[in-house]
Amino acid sequence: MEGVDHLAHERQKAQFDVEEMKVVWAGSRHALELSDRISRLVASDPAFRKDNRTVLSRKELFKNTLRKAAYAWKRIIELRLTEEEAARLRFYVDEPAFTDLHWGMFVPAIKGQGTDEQQQKWLTLAYKMQIIGCYAQTELGHGSNVQGLETTATFDPKADEFIINSPTLTSSKWWPGGLGKIATHGVIYARLITDGQDHGVHGFIVQLRSLEDHMPLPGITIGDIGMKFGNGAYNTMDNGVLRFDNVRIPRDQMLMRVSQVTREGKYVMSNVPRQLVYGTMVYVRQTIVVDASCALSRAVTIATRYSAVRRQFGSQDGGPETQVIDYKTQQNRLFPLLASAYAFRFVGEWLKWLYTDVTQRLQANDFSTLPEAHACTAGLKSLTTSITADAIEECRKLCGGHGYLCSSGLPELIAVYVPACTYEGDNVVLLLQVARYLMKAVSQLPSGKKPVGTTAYMGRVEYLMQCRSDVQRAEDWLKPNVVLQAFEARAARMSVACAQKLAQFSNSEEGFAELSPILVEASLAHCQLIVVSKFIEKLQQDIPGKGVKEQLEALCSVYALHLLHKHSGDFLSTGTITAKQASLANDQLLSLYSKVRPNAVALVDAFNYTDHYLGSILGRYDGNVYPKLYEEAWKDPLNEYVVPDGFHEYISPMLKQQLRNARL
């Protein structure tokens, strides 16, 4: 059965050019070529094997991760990979490690908040991995509320030093990846105190371990916080705990791009605008949205291919049973997730543009779009990670019992992915931040201040408050302007309704707390509108390739109409559409599934994932699932012996009714 493509019949049904769709997914021909080359490089190297991760002990697992990280760095140097190629290599190695935080948080923090001199000193070392950094912000007692952090950095003018201290148990740094066992340095966030005055939270570069013997430096207590959810998964990462007992660092190790402390102990702001710090946040959240599209597309690839392989019921006269993917119930659960993967990809692409735009504006001292960019990235981080986490679990269920096996790749993918709902901002807290921005936007409408960017639709609020959808037939829902108007009207009406309710409270903060559940719903409606509108905008571009645009149009409609169906209560209660129109939208959605069905396997092939990266027997490219599942079962350590360890001590006495003699 080796070498046979069991999904060839599915691939032959495709009504579009898969190679061209790969380019659309990758973002450009250059990006596709690079990803393809690097992913194959990783997949063909036995040193990056990962199929045994879930059976390793924590110590073995962690040591193996260190080996892979060191080997990856060796290959990056040997092959003289560019920064872009090196980042792809780490992505395809597909194992959470200290390097993620070194490159993804430590380096950007110094780039964003360090002076030119500080960057010159520290980044030179970091780029060569002569120091390994982490990002220590979260504490045992505070996560989302950064202003509540308790670690202190008190300036001592006599010694020209800061004294870093953990005054309480809850001020212990808790969670930073790479901190537990590997990081030599950290960007530590602490309350800056000069002459008894608290200036709020600032960043400091602190050496944590000796560069000679890797022992913690005096005054530093440091370790790993313990096992986390799942087998393998995020347990490859040394999330750490850190306490400071009056540790002294030189004054020039405070990150001083935005503010600084002089030799005399005076706190001064530099001429660099404080808002620059937000640029880094926009960047990090943009990468999280792109990561969501990757994780979701991975789960959807596994579920789609396996749904095409698996047959159950429906045999006619002894013929083959029905492919699971042909059941409408399976399509109704799976195809909206496939559409969401593409939707998140395109909104992630747009966020890359937004980050560039915001950065250029900040450099020109134009802060006008910053609040909107901040709200928009916060909302999209929340929306995409929540949906993706739920979707991976749904894909596991779509694979039936076999989806529960570690060899399906889905349990580990879930366990690795779910923390994204919490890190870089708790998803509900982020939606409440979006709500504050929306309420402010609504309150400023009467003054004639024009809403910008993703809130521009609010400028037409009078029209959106009274417009009615003119849908009369199911196919009317295929018109982008019809869909867009429905989503805009629903979002505007929900925001306005919240603002009106809020106005009835004499204390706006009390009102905000009381109304927070409906404020979150209004934020969600706004964020869903952004994703739908960016998908529609993508389709207005020139997209080459036979049938490629048509498939994307079908997926865009599936994405929007599934949301409309799922949240029909919002659309109906705001009077945006009628019950009849909601019913027509669902009719159209069901007929779209028939259009997606022959292309489903080809649409996931366009993600261009190697079997190594997918790490799933159910999601194998060739569909040769059952022989490989059988083969894999025998590799489990339990099957090394026919009679298990412990049988003679415990089970044999039970069978022979001799338990009183057993050594229990």
Coordinates of all heavy atoms in Angstrom, one line a residue, residues 113 135-139 146-155 162-167 171 173 186-194 197-206 242 244 247 249 253-255 259 261 267 274:
Q113 N 12.4 49.2 22.9 CA 12.5 50.1 24.1 C 13.9 50.5 24.4 O 14.1 51.3 25.3 CB 11.8 49.3 25.3 CG 10.3 49.1 25.0 CD 9.8 48.0 26.0 OE1 10.1 48.1 27.2 NE2 9.0 47.1 25.5
Y135 N 11.4 37.1 28.6 CA 10.6 38.3 28.8 C 9.8 38.1 30.0 O 8.8 37.4 30.0 CB 9.7 38.5 27.5 CG 8.8 39.7 27.5 CD1 9.3 40.9 26.9 CD2 7.5 39.7 28.0 CE1 8.4 42.0 26.8 CE2 6.7 40.8 27.9 CZ 7.2 42.0 27.3 OH 6.3 43.1 27.2
A136 N 10.2 38.7 31.1 CA 9.6 38.5 32.4 C 8.7 39.6 32.9 O 9.1 40.6 33.5 CB 10.7 38.2 33.5
Q137 N 7.4 39.5 32.5 CA 6.4 40.5 32.9 C 5.4 39.9 33.9 O 5.3 40.4 35.0 CB 5.7 41.0 31.7 CG 4.6 42.0 32.0 CD 4.1 42.6 30.7 OE1 4.8 43.3 29.9 NE2 2.8 42.3 30.4
T138 N 4.8 38.8 33.5 CA 3.7 38.2 34.3 C 4.2 37.7 35.7 O 5.3 37.2 35.8 CB 3.1 37.0 33.6 OG1 2.6 37.5 32.3 CG2 2.0 36.3 34.3
E139 N 3.4 38.0 36.7 CA 3.7 37.5 38.1 C 2.7 36.6 38.6 O 1.6 36.4 38.0 CB 3.8 38.8 39.0 CG 5.0 39.7 38.6 CD 5.1 41.0 39.5 OE1 4.2 41.2 40.3 OE2 6.1 41.7 39.3
V146 N -1.2 44.7 34.1 CA 0.2 45.0 34.1 C 0.6 46.1 35.1 O 1.6 46.1 35.8 CB 0.7 45.4 32.7 CG1 2.2 45.7 32.7 CG2 0.5 44.2 31.8
Q147 N -0.3 47.1 35.3 CA -0.1 48.2 36.2 C -0.1 47.8 37.6 O 0.4 48.5 38.5 CB -1.1 49.3 36.0 CG -1.1 50.0 34.6 CD 0.3 50.3 34.1 OE1 1.1 50.9 34.9 NE2 0.7 49.9 32.9
G148 N -0.6 46.5 37.9 CA -0.6 46.0 39.3 C 0.6 45.2 39.6 O 0.7 44.7 40.7
L149 N 1.6 45.1 38.7 CA 2.8 44.3 39.0 C 3.5 44.9 40.3 O 3.5 46.1 40.5 CB 3.8 44.4 37.8 CG 3.4 43.8 36.5 CD1 4.5 43.9 35.5 CD2 3.1 42.3 36.7
E150 N 4.1 43.9 41.0 CA 4.7 44.3 42.4 C 6.2 44.4 42.4 O 6.7 44.9 43.4 CB 4.2 43.3 43.4 CG 2.7 43.3 43.6 CD 2.2 42.2 44.6 OE1 2.2 42.5 45.8 OE2 2.0 41.1 44.1
T151 N 6.9 43.7 41.5 CA 8.4 43.7 41.5 C 8.8 45.2 41.5 O 8.2 46.0 40.7 CB 8.9 43.0 40.3 OG1 8.4 41.7 40.3 CG2 10.4 42.9 40.3
T152 N 9.8 45.5 42.2 CA 10.3 46.9 42.3 C 11.7 47.1 41.8 O 12.5 46.1 41.9 CB 10.3 47.5 43.7 OG1 11.0 46.6 44.6 CG2 8.8 47.6 44.3
A153 N 12.0 48.3 41.2 CA 13.4 48.6 40.8 C 13.6 50.0 41.4 O 13.2 51.0 40.9 CB 13.4 48.7 39.3
T154 N 14.3 50.0 42.5 CA 14.5 51.3 43.3 C 15.9 51.8 42.9 O 16.9 51.1 43.0 CB 14.4 51.0 44.8 OG1 13.2 50.3 45.0 CG2 14.5 52.3 45.6
F155 N 16.0 53.1 42.6 CA 17.3 53.7 42.2 C 18.1 54.1 43.4 O 17.5 54.8 44.3 CB 17.1 54.9 41.3 CG 18.4 55.5 40.8 CD1 19.2 54.7 40.0 CD2 18.8 56.8 41.1 CE1 20.5 55.2 39.6 CE2 20.0 57.3 40.7 CZ 20.8 56.5 39.9
F162 N 20.3 50.2 40.1 CA 18.9 49.9 40.5 C 18.9 48.7 41.4 O 19.7 47.8 41.1 CB 18.0 49.6 39.3 CG 17.7 50.8 38.5 CD1 18.3 51.1 37.3 CD2 16.7 51.7 38.9 CE1 18.0 52.2 36.5 CE2 16.4 52.9 38.2 CZ 17.0 53.1 37.0
I163 N 18.0 48.6 42.4 CA 17.9 47.4 43.2 C 16.6 46.8 42.8 O 15.5 47.3 43.0 CB 17.9 47.8 44.7 CG1 19.2 48.6 45.1 CG2 17.8 46.6 45.6 CD1 19.1 49.4 46.4
I164 N 16.7 45.6 42.2 CA 15.5 44.8 41.8 C 15.1 43.9 42.9 O 15.9 43.1 43.5 CB 15.8 44.0 40.5 CG1 16.6 44.8 39.5 CG2 14.5 43.4 40.0 CD1 15.8 45.8 38.7
N165 N 13.8 44.0 43.3 CA 13.4 43.2 44.5 C 12.0 42.6 44.3 O 11.1 43.2 43.6 CB 13.4 44.1 45.7 CG 13.3 43.3 47.0 OD1 13.9 42.3 47.2 ND2 12.4 43.8 47.9
S166 N 11.7 41.5 44.9 CA 10.4 40.8 44.9 C 9.9 41.0 46.3 O 10.2 40.1 47.2 CB 10.5 39.4 44.5 OG 11.2 39.2 43.3
P167 N 9.1 42.0 46.6 CA 8.7 42.3 48.0 C 7.7 41.3 48.6 O 7.6 41.2 49.8 CB 8.1 43.7 47.9 CG 7.6 43.8 46.5 CD 8.6 43.0 45.7
S171 N 4.7 38.7 44.0 CA 5.5 39.4 43.1 C 6.5 38.5 42.3 O 7.2 39.0 41.5 CB 6.2 40.6 43.8 OG 7.2 40.0 44.6
K173 N 8.0 36.4 39.6 CA 7.7 36.3 38.1 C 7.3 34.8 37.9 O 7.9 33.9 38.5 CB 9.0 36.6 37.3 CG 9.4 38.1 37.4 CD 8.3 39.0 36.9 CE 8.7 40.5 37.0 NZ 7.6 41.4 36.6
G186 N 17.2 38.4 31.2 CA 15.7 38.7 31.0 C 15.5 40.2 30.9 O 16.2 41.0 31.5
V187 N 14.4 40.5 30.1 CA 13.9 41.9 30.2 C 12.8 41.7 31.3 O 11.8 41.0 31.2 CB 13.2 42.3 28.9 CG1 12.5 43.6 29.1 CG2 14.3 42.6 27.8
I188 N 13.1 42.4 32.4 CA 12.3 42.3 33.6 C 11.5 43.5 33.8 O 12.0 44.6 33.7 CB 13.2 42.1 34.9 CG1 14.3 41.0 34.7 CG2 12.3 41.8 36.1 CD1 13.8 39.6 34.5
Y189 N 10.2 43.3 34.0 CA 9.3 44.5 34.2 C 9.1 44.7 35.7 O 8.7 43.8 36.4 CB 8.0 44.3 33.4 CG 8.3 44.5 31.9 CD1 8.7 43.5 31.2 CD2 8.2 45.8 31.4 CE1 9.0 43.6 29.8 CE2 8.5 46.0 30.0 CZ 8.9 44.9 29.3 OH 9.3 45.1 28.0
A190 N 9.3 46.0 36.1 CA 9.2 46.3 37.6 C 8.8 47.7 37.7 O 8.9 48.5 36.8 CB 10.6 46.1 38.2
R191 N 8.3 48.0 38.9 CA 7.9 49.4 39.2 C 9.1 50.3 39.5 O 9.9 49.9 40.4 CB 7.0 49.4 40.5 CG 5.9 48.4 40.5 CD 4.9 48.7 41.6 NE 4.1 49.8 41.3 CZ 3.1 49.8 40.4 NH1 2.7 48.6 39.8 NH2 2.4 50.9 40.1
L192 N 9.3 51.3 38.8 CA 10.5 52.2 38.9 C 10.3 53.2 40.0 O 9.3 53.9 40.0 CB 10.7 52.9 37.6 CG 11.8 54.0 37.6 CD1 13.1 53.5 38.0 CD2 11.8 54.7 36.3
I193 N 11.2 53.1 41.0 CA 11.0 54.0 42.2 C 12.3 54.9 42.3 O 13.4 54.4 42.4 CB 10.8 53.2 43.5 CG1 9.4 52.5 43.4 CG2 10.8 54.2 44.7 CD1 9.2 51.4 44.4
T194 N 12.1 56.2 42.3 CA 13.2 57.1 42.5 C 12.8 58.1 43.6 O 11.7 58.7 43.6 CB 13.6 58.0 41.2 OG1 12.5 58.8 40.9 CG2 13.9 57.1 40.1
Q197 N 9.4 58.0 44.9 CA 8.2 58.2 44.0 C 8.1 57.0 43.0 O 9.1 56.6 42.4 CB 8.4 59.5 43.2 CG 7.2 59.9 42.4 CD 7.3 61.2 41.6 OE1 8.3 61.9 41.8 NE2 6.4 61.4 40.8
D198 N 6.9 56.5 42.8 CA 6.7 55.3 42.0 C 6.3 55.9 40.6 O 5.3 56.6 40.4 CB 5.5 54.5 42.5 CG 5.2 53.2 41.8 OD1 5.5 53.2 40.6 OD2 4.7 52.3 42.4
H199 N 7.1 55.5 39.6 CA 6.9 56.0 38.2 C 6.2 55.0 37.3 O 6.1 55.1 36.1 CB 8.2 56.4 37.5 CG 8.9 57.5 38.3 ND1 8.5 58.8 38.2 CD2 9.9 57.5 39.2 CE1 9.3 59.6 38.9 NE2 10.2 58.8 39.6
G200 N 5.7 53.9 37.9 CA 5.0 52.9 37.1 C 5.9 51.8 36.6 O 7.1 51.8 36.9
V201 N 5.4 50.9 35.7 CA 6.2 49.8 35.3 C 7.1 50.1 34.1 O 6.7 50.7 33.1 CB 5.2 48.6 34.9 CG1 5.9 47.4 34.3 CG2 4.3 48.2 36.1
H202 N 8.4 49.7 34.2 CA 9.4 49.9 33.2 C 10.2 48.6 33.0 O 10.1 47.7 33.9 CB 10.3 51.0 33.6 CG 9.7 52.4 33.6 ND1 8.7 52.7 34.5 CD2 9.9 53.5 32.8 CE1 8.3 54.0 34.2 NE2 9.0 54.4 33.2
G203 N 10.9 48.5 31.9 CA 11.7 47.3 31.6 C 13.1 47.5 31.9 O 13.7 48.6 31.8
F204 N 13.8 46.4 32.4 CA 15.2 46.4 32.8 C 15.8 45.1 32.3 O 15.2 44.1 32.3 CB 15.3 46.5 34.3 CG 14.7 47.7 35.0 CD1 13.3 47.7 35.2 CD2 15.5 48.8 35.3 CE1 12.7 48.8 35.8 CE2 14.9 49.9 35.8 CZ 13.5 49.9 36.1
I205 N 17.1 45.3 31.8 CA 17.8 44.1 31.4 C 18.6 43.6 32.6 O 19.4 44.3 33.2 CB 18.8 44.4 30.2 CG1 18.0 44.8 29.0 CG2 19.6 43.1 29.9 CD1 18.8 45.3 27.8
V206 N 18.3 42.3 33.0 CA 18.9 41.8 34.2 C 19.6 40.4 33.8 O 18.9 39.6 33.2 CB 17.9 41.5 35.3 CG1 18.6 41.0 36.6 CG2 17.2 42.8 35.6
L242 N 10.6 33.2 39.2 CA 11.8 34.0 39.5 C 11.6 35.0 40.7 O 10.6 35.7 40.6 CB 12.2 34.8 38.2 CG 13.2 35.9 38.4 CD1 14.6 35.4 38.7 CD2 13.3 36.7 37.0
F244 N 13.6 38.0 43.2 CA 14.8 38.8 43.4 C 14.9 39.2 44.9 O 13.9 39.6 45.5 CB 14.7 40.1 42.6 CG 14.7 39.9 41.1 CD1 13.5 39.9 40.4 CD2 15.9 39.7 40.4 CE1 13.5 39.7 39.0 CE2 15.9 39.5 39.0 CZ 14.7 39.5 38.3
V247 N 18.6 42.5 44.2 CA 19.7 42.3 43.2 C 20.0 43.7 42.5 O 19.1 44.4 42.1 CB 19.2 41.3 42.1 CG1 20.2 41.3 40.9 CG2 19.0 40.0 42.7
I249 N 21.7 46.2 39.7 CA 22.2 46.3 38.3 C 22.6 47.7 38.0 O 22.1 48.6 38.6 CB 21.0 45.8 37.3 CG1 19.8 46.7 37.4 CG2 20.6 44.4 37.5 CD1 18.8 46.6 36.3
Q253 N 21.1 49.7 32.5 CA 20.4 48.5 32.1 C 18.9 48.7 32.2 O 18.1 47.8 32.0 CB 20.9 47.3 32.9 CG 22.2 46.8 32.4 CD 22.8 45.6 33.1 OE1 24.0 45.6 33.3 NE2 22.0 44.7 33.5
M254 N 18.4 49.9 32.5 CA 17.0 50.2 32.4 C 16.9 50.5 30.9 O 17.7 51.2 30.3 CB 16.7 51.5 33.2 CG 15.3 52.1 32.8 SD 15.1 53.7 33.7 CE 13.6 54.2 32.9
L255 N 15.8 50.0 30.3 CA 15.5 50.3 28.8 C 15.1 51.7 28.7 O 14.1 52.1 29.3 CB 14.5 49.3 28.3 CG 15.0 47.9 28.1 CD1 13.8 46.9 27.8 CD2 16.1 47.7 27.1
S259 N 12.0 56.7 28.3 CA 12.2 57.5 29.5 C 13.5 57.0 30.2 O 13.9 55.9 29.9 CB 11.0 57.3 30.5 OG 10.8 55.9 30.8
V261 N 16.5 57.5 33.7 CA 16.8 58.1 35.0 C 18.2 58.6 34.9 O 19.1 57.9 34.4 CB 16.7 57.0 36.1 CG1 17.3 57.5 37.4 CG2 15.3 56.5 36.3
Y267 N 14.0 61.5 37.0 CA 13.2 60.7 36.0 C 12.8 61.7 34.9 O 12.2 62.7 35.1 CB 12.0 60.1 36.7 CG 11.1 59.3 35.7 CD1 11.5 58.1 35.2 CD2 9.9 59.8 35.3 CE1 10.7 57.4 34.3 CE2 9.1 59.1 34.4 CZ 9.5 57.9 33.9 OH 8.7 57.2 33.1
R274 N 6.2 58.1 23.6 CA 5.9 56.9 24.4 C 5.1 55.9 23.6 O 5.2 54.7 23.8 CB 5.1 57.4 25.6 CG 4.9 56.3 26.7 CD 4.4 56.8 28.0 NE 4.5 55.8 29.0 CZ 5.6 55.5 29.6 NH1 6.7 56.2 29.4 NH2 5.6 54.5 30.5

